[in-house]
Amino acid sequence: MPLLKREMDMKQEEDTAAIREQPGQKTSFPGDVVFSLDTISTRTLFLGPGVRKEADNLIATRCGVLRYRPPATFFLDTSDDSYLPATGDDIVGVVVRRRGQEVLEQYYMVDFGKNTSRQTGVLPILAFKGATKRYRPNLKKGDLVYCRVRKTTVDGPVRLTCTSNNTKEQFWGPLRRTGALYRAKLSFVRRCLTEGSAEHSMIMEVGAKFPFESAVGLNGRIWLYTGFEKSQNLLYLLFRDAEEANGDVMLIKKITGRFLQETATLGDDFPVEDNTQYWVTRVA
Amino acid sequence: MDGSYVSIAERDTYLRFLKFGQREDKRTAFDYRDWQMVYGRDPGSCVVNLGNTTVISSVEVSPKRTNNPNQNKGTSKIDLSINPISFLKFQPSRNRLRTLRRQLRQHIKSAIFWSKCIDDESLCISRGRVVFQVHLSLDIIQADGNLFDATCLAAVASLLVAQRPEISVEGDKIVALSMYERTPIALQVNHIPISTTFSFQAASDLVIVDPSGKEEIVLNGNLTVVVNQNSEICGTYKRGVAALPMETIQRCVEIAALRSKDAALRLRQLSEDYISSRTKNLNLDIMVNLRRSKSEATGIIDESRQSVADRAAQLGLMQPVMPEHGVIISTTKETPKTGRPTEMVEEDEDDEEMEDDDGEELGGSESEEETTTLTAGDF
């Protein structure tokens, strides 16, 4: 088994090298051949939005730049700013109301629309890690929740969940009300989540020296929490500046350095008060 | 369809900035966003940018019939198009949008027409028969806070360069001459009202100027002060629940007066530049248009129009109209009302009194019938 695994790894490395050789940073238009699959051996592809497979070629279905993530994930990065939910997306949503009669059938309506439009999904009341009929989060209107898109259908509502089959990665759940929320462009959010990008390295660099909590939703909402008012404002402005920098590596490095200087000389900071208990025990 | 949802965390985020004297977009409390204004090709049209808020405005001054025998002033009409889609950050609910539309219309009326910004007595052509109507149409393309200032600025900017056609009166015949026959006349603008909006938070001494779209959803009090370039208050408009002490209002008026001087000067400069550049290009424009109209006159379209008019004249439907002339507004004499029953006359008078109280007349759709039949040629 280990030998096989090593072989697979080697194969992947070869593939990765082959893919990296192909020009990918070019803007392609609908109908363009963005990538030819002749050079790679794996036939299991993960195709994201904007890419379609035809024979041995990947063809663009809209304008954008091809992005690749090992082992074999392809998608077309666009500056399109309207969010369409897809299965597996991590999003930050707002609780709108609670619906349903029986406890087991109750669910939260969660709004995850981009800036202006309303898009609501359904989050079952027990779809949290460790939630039972008695012990479960009690969310109010206006609370933020970090959740995952479980299923999207043509007619029905978008189904959301805060659980996963993988026990190691269970970080979804209600977010603190005292945190800050930043609304960003979708392209910025995608860059934040892509390893190797300037924005991602900025978050890592800041996080190493200045601990903070964040939840980056693919629907363009970024939740930030440091526990202190002034530093939270600064963090908000950092993300705002980084978005305005528009992928400029040097500028983002400059912004990061300035932010770290400012936080070092911050002086007295006021802790944000948060006495709310999101998880409550209910005696039936 | 209905307004977008705002989370508690997001509201607190914007308030937390204001608490420390900062703002979400890195301005200080009394920092006004930069605005730009560009005039369009047609006289009286302009685009105003205030941050991300964009308003397109245009003015058309045209003669209209009036039924009010005591009408001795020009009338005004405001078209305001505002869409939920144009809101960049937070979409308002349907009720909120309706309220906003009403408030904006009221604000423009009071800031511009009630403060006598344009000399409406000079817009009377024939008392009780024909007056000029100032038709102001405002399109809100993008909304990112402070629509009140942006719309007011756009309206004033377009009124500064608006033109009305020259009128010739021969007995009972009133003809609006086209721009090729006689150069149009600019409107008389008495003063330049500039509005400045302040936002407040109830039960706190927080005051900011020029709220952005994000701040507008958080703060619950607004005061719009309209001051002209001579530091005269032309109107105020307060909305929201925050109660204000007298000192705050006085301070707001002082700040608005300071701002209005600069803004009025800049607006005047921009309008003068536009007018001077336009008069240079005007002769060329007229040459091009005249050539075009001549070629049209020799073409088939114009001949057919002529023949239709002749046929109509033969049938006694309408009088033949020379295409060289502009629009003939009124050719018939005032019909004596003696033949009509007395009750009808009384009803008419009641209506006119109502209009007098209002001070405004919106449109004259009932009186347009005869005008439309007599219309010939383009303006």
Side-chain angles (χ1 to χ4, degrees):
Chain A
M1 272 307 273
L3 210 146
L4 198 69
K5 194 168 181 291
R6 200 185 300 154
E7 271 178 11
M8 274 179 72
D9 282 353
M10 280 177 69
K11 234 181 193 178
Q12 260 189 22
E13 274 172 24
E14 278 171 19
D15 280 357
T16 313
I19 288 162
R20 291 244 159 92
E21 274 173 21
Q22 296 205 10
Q25 288 298 314
K26 200 179 70 183
T27 308
S28 48
F29 293 93
D32 284 3
V33 176
V34 285
F35 191 79
S36 71
L37 300 167
D38 300 336
T39 47
I40 54 170
S41 51
T42 35
R43 290 292 154 194
T44 6
L45 296 169
F46 297 94
L47 297 183
V51 188
R52 190 157 47 90
K53 192 191 166 194
E54 253 181 39
D56 269 2
N57 293 323
L58 290 184
I59 288 175
T61 56
R62 51 181 181 175
C63 291
V65 178
L66 186 72
R67 301 267 185 237
Y68 161 74
R69 195 176 293 161
T73 307
F74 295 93
F75 68 98
L76 216 64
D77 200 2
T78 58
S79 57
D80 186 1
D81 212 28
S82 65
Y83 177 68
L84 281 177
T87 309
D89 282 359
D90 296 334
I91 57 172
V92 175
V94 189
V95 174
V96 179
R97 62 174 75 84
R98 191 154 73 179
R99 279 273 177 87
Q101 297 295 319
E102 294 289 313
V103 173
L104 292 173
E105 290 171 358
Q106 278 184 359
Y107 55 86
Y108 294 113
M109 296 285 283
V110 174
D111 172 64
F112 54 85
K114 190 66 189 41
N115 282 338
T116 52
S117 54
R118 270 185 178 189
Q119 280 174 303
T120 44
V122 166
L123 176 65
I125 201 163
L126 296 181
F128 293 89
K129 182 195 173 190
T132 60
K133 199 174 172 183
R134 282 192 179 174
Y135 181 65
R136 58 173 195 271
N138 182 29
L139 301 180
K140 282 182 187 169
K141 185 185 173 183
D143 275 354
L144 287 174
V145 63
Y146 185 51
C147 51
R148 194 168 58 91
V149 179
R150 188 168 66 88
K151 197 178 179 185
T152 55
T153 49
V154 179
D155 306 328
V158 177
R159 298 187 187 276
L160 307 169
T161 182
C162 288
T163 56
S164 168
N165 290 335
N166 189 344
T167 46
K168 277 181 187 172
E169 43 167 57
Q170 294 206 339
F171 33 76
W172 297 282
L175 301 170
R176 284 194 191 86
R177 278 172 211 161
T178 44
L181 190 80
Y182 179 61
R183 285 176 185 244
K185 280 182 185 172
L186 295 189
S187 52
F188 175 73
V189 168
R190 260 185 255 120
R191 268 183 272 138
C192 277
L193 294 172
T194 314
E195 276 182 41
S197 70
E199 285 84 356
H200 187 267
S201 55
M202 175 196 84
I203 294 172
M204 289 299 148
E205 195 187 333
V206 171
K209 291 171 184 170
F210 180 81
F212 68 94
E213 290 177 38
S214 68
V216 183
L218 271 171
N219 57 339
R221 298 183 193 186
I222 303 175
W223 173 85
L224 304 161
Y225 180 81
T226 60
F228 295 94
E229 291 189 337
K230 277 186 185 173
S231 56
Q232 214 155 275
N233 284 357
L234 277 177
L235 200 63
Y236 181 96
L237 290 178
L238 171 77
F239 274 80
R240 194 194 163 91
D241 288 348
E243 194 190 348
E244 280 173 8
N246 209 359
D248 190 339
V249 181
M250 292 307 291
L251 197 56
I252 287 171
K253 270 185 184 172
K254 203 193 274 178
I255 292 163
T256 314
R258 202 175 60 204
F259 171 77
L260 290 172
Q261 269 186 10
E262 280 174 355
T263 45
T265 59
L266 197 60
D268 291 342
D269 208 343
F270 310 98
V272 285
E273 294 152 15
D274 188 11
N275 301 322
T276 45
Q277 285 190 331
Y278 299 100
W279 287 78
V280 290
T281 314
R282 283 171 184 261
V283 182
Chain B
M1 277 299 285
D2 250 20
S4 48
Y5 299 106
V6 186
S7 60
I8 298 166
E10 198 166 5
R11 277 174 190 278
D12 287 355
T13 308
Y14 306 137
L15 273 179
R16 208 175 291 125
F17 273 103
L18 296 168
K19 192 178 161 186
F20 292 105
Q22 294 171 311
R23 287 170 82 169
E24 179 268 334
D25 44 3
K26 293 194 273 180
R27 283 186 286 162
T28 55
F30 292 105
D31 208 354
Y32 208 87
R33 279 180 291 183
D34 195 21
W35 58 269
Q36 296 89 32
M37 194 267 296
V38 180
Y39 280 117
R41 192 180 149 83
D42 284 346
S45 68
C46 73
V47 185
V48 164
N49 276 314
L50 176 66
N52 285 333
T53 305
T54 308
V55 180
I56 292 182
S57 159
S58 66
V59 171
E60 193 199 341
V61 188
S62 53
K64 289 276 171 200
R65 270 162 171 270
T66 173
N67 289 333
N68 185 352
N70 296 326
Q71 186 78 39
N72 58 353
K73 287 172 182 174
T75 55
S76 63
K77 185 182 178 184
I78 303 169
D79 271 358
L80 191 76
S81 84
I82 178 167
N83 232 315
I85 296 167
S86 58
F87 283 78
L88 292 180
K89 298 301 174 194
F90 301 100
Q91 200 166 302
S93 66
R94 212 173 296 167
N95 272 344
R96 171 89 191 90
L97 196 71
R98 202 181 296 138
T99 318
L100 190 66
R101 193 181 287 132
R102 208 183 56 231
Q103 285 175 342
L104 278 172
R105 191 189 288 274
Q106 183 71 19
H107 172 60
I108 297 293
K109 260 189 198 174
S110 73
I112 291 167
F113 295 113
W114 294 357
S115 74
K116 307 275 180 207
C117 167
I118 44 173
D119 185 14
D120 53 356
E121 281 174 7
S122 69
L123 293 177
C124 178
I125 301 165
S126 167
R127 180 187 159 128
R129 284 176 66 205
V130 185
V131 294
F132 277 114
Q133 188 195 46
V134 180
H135 184 167
L136 186 68
S137 54
L138 296 157
D139 285 299
I140 290 156
I141 305 295
Q142 286 184 2
D144 186 17
N146 210 352
L147 282 175
F148 283 73
D149 289 7
T151 45
C152 187
L153 197 65
V156 173
S158 50
L159 281 174
L160 275 172
V161 297
Q163 292 172 333
R164 66 172 177 84
E166 179 79 277
I167 293 287
S168 84
V169 183
E170 298 163 7
D172 287 327
K173 196 175 170 187
I174 297 168
V175 181
L177 301 167
S178 69
M179 63 178 286
Y180 309 118
E181 289 168 318
R182 202 72 64 81
T183 40
I185 305 162
L187 289 186
Q188 264 191 47
V189 181
N190 294 334
H191 58 88
I192 303 174
I194 300 288
S195 82
T196 311
T197 301
F198 300 87
S199 275
F200 310 91
Q201 175 73 359
S204 77
D205 52 354
L206 184 81
V207 185
I208 56 163
V209 73
D210 186 19
S212 71
K214 287 175 178 174
E215 282 156 354
E216 267 184 354
I217 57 147
V218 174
L219 300 172
N220 49 14
N222 278 298
L223 176 71
T224 305
V225 185
V226 188
V227 183
N228 66 6
Q229 78 271 39
N230 307 323
S231 303
E232 293 160 344
I233 299 173
C234 302
T236 54
Y237 202 94
K238 184 181 171 297
R239 30 191 215 292
V241 294
L244 303 175
M246 198 59 211
E247 300 92 62
T248 315
I249 296 173
Q250 280 175 351
R251 203 171 148 220
C252 289
V253 171
E254 281 165 17
I255 292 164
L258 274 177
R259 196 186 91 78
S260 71
K261 262 178 197 167
D262 298 348
L265 203 68
R266 193 174 152 197
L267 213 55
R268 179 71 83 185
Q269 190 64 42
L270 282 168
S271 65
E272 278 170 5
D273 287 355
Y274 170 75
I275 289 166
S276 64
S277 73
R278 192 173 161 74
T279 42
K280 270 180 205 163
N281 299 329
L282 193 66
N283 291 331
L284 190 71
D285 271 17
I286 287 176
M287 287 300 286
V288 169
N289 279 313
L290 272 179
R291 201 170 293 159
R292 198 180 293 152
S293 65
K294 264 183 190 171
S295 66
E296 273 176 12
T298 52
I300 305 159
I301 307 160
D302 221 48
E303 280 174 11
S304 65
R305 192 195 285 163
Q306 196 74 30
S307 64
V308 169
D310 285 346
R311 202 182 298 154
Q314 281 168 13
L315 293 168
L317 290 175
M318 57 185 265
Q319 292 177 344
V321 178
M322 294 294 282
E324 283 80 20
H325 289 279
V327 185
I328 296 174
I329 303 304
S330 157
T331 48
T332 49
K333 286 177 184 176
E334 272 186 286
T335 47
K337 286 179 182 177
T338 46
R340 296 170 71 188
T342 46
E343 291 169 22
M344 288 290 283
V345 174
E346 277 170 15
E347 274 182 15
D348 274 4
E349 280 169 0
D350 281 352
D351 285 352
E352 285 145 19
E353 276 172 16
M354 288 283 281
E355 280 161 4
D356 274 351
D357 289 341
D358 224 27
E360 294 287 327
E361 274 188 22
L362 298 179
S365 53
E366 301 91 357
S367 62
E368 275 179 12
E369 290 168 12
E370 208 167 339
T371 319
T372 43
T373 50
L374 290 172
T375 302
D378 298 324
F379 229 106

